[in-house]
Amino acid sequence: MYMKRTIKIFMGLIAGVLLSFATSSCSKDEKNEKNIEGKWQSTSASYKEYEAGKLVYEESETCIEWYLGFNFKSDGTGQLISYEEGDSYTSQITWVIMGEKLMITLYEEGESDTITFDIIEIKSNSMVLSMTDEYTSNSVQCKDITTYNFKKI
């Protein structure tokens, strides 16, 4: 009888541990999903400007007259599409995710330029990316943060 009770307790503990792993891994996968393959279009952008650590300017806008788009292919290549006032422009890109950073290299006219985004959030149908530019102007430390919201199309 003691052995049956011990086995039941042991099996209950194993089931509890397995259940906790299954539940925590599901919620973690949804929160930290990093699959960005496919086509994305910006829906809104916000801009914040800081001088000496103080917020001095803030603006948000919906992408109606302009947008940025990405086509991320599974092999790490793709396109950046920008549209503004009736004109569109497409650049070939390569991309890689390293930790919480998305690095995109643009190629045009034999030259390349790399842009690094901070990954704020990636879900199956939405993505939030942020770019930070830090610099000194007239001996004042400045920081500009641009945050883009994207939808999968």
Side-chain angles (χ1 to χ4, degrees), residues 15 22 35 41 50-51 53 62 66 86 88 96 100 102 118-119 147 151:
N35 182 4
Q41 182 177 330
Y50 296 86
E51 291 179 2
T62 304
W66 68 273
S88 66
V96 64
E100 297 302 314
L102 168 61
D118 293 312
I119 298 171
T147 303
K151 68 177 178 180

Side-chain angles (χ1 to χ4, degrees), residues 16-146:
V17 169
L18 291 175
L19 184 59
S20 72
F21 281 140
T23 334
S24 65
S25 68
C26 289
S27 60
K28 184 177 180 183
D29 289 345
E30 177 63 29
K31 183 177 180 185
N32 296 320
E33 188 176 317
K34 298 263 175 68
N35 182 4
I36 63 169
E37 293 172 24
K39 295 179 181 181
W40 298 86
Q41 182 177 330
S42 60
T43 57
S44 64
S46 64
Y47 176 78
K48 294 181 180 181
E49 184 178 314
Y50 296 86
E51 291 179 2
K54 292 179 100 175
L55 180 64
V56 295
Y57 180 77
E58 184 174 12
E59 178 183 7
S60 294
E61 63 181 305
T62 304
C63 300
I64 295 174
E65 296 179 9
W66 68 273
Y67 69 82
L68 291 177
F70 291 107
N71 181 12
F72 295 114
K73 297 181 180 178
S74 62
D75 64 357
T77 64
Q79 292 84 32
L80 164 70
I81 303 100
S82 58
Y83 173 85
E84 187 171 359
E85 298 178 4
D87 292 326
S88 66
Y89 180 75
T90 302
S91 295
Q92 297 304 308
I93 64 169
T94 56
W95 63 273
V96 64
I97 293 177
M98 297 183 76
E100 297 302 314
K101 306 280 185 193
L102 168 61
M103 287 169 271
I104 296 174
T105 303
L106 302 153
Y107 298 94
E108 59 185 359
E109 298 177 13
E111 298 200 15
S112 64
D113 188 26
T114 300
I115 302 166
T116 301
F117 289 97
D118 293 312
I119 298 171
I120 307 302
E121 178 180 79
I122 297 176
K123 292 186 178 178
S124 59
N125 291 315
S126 65
M127 174 170 65
V128 182
L129 303 175
S130 179
M131 290 177 27
T132 302
D133 184 26
E134 296 186 50
Y135 56 95
T136 303
S137 177
N138 297 326
S139 301
V140 176
Q141 286 294 107
C142 301
K143 179 166 59 171
D144 299 338
I145 302 173
T146 306

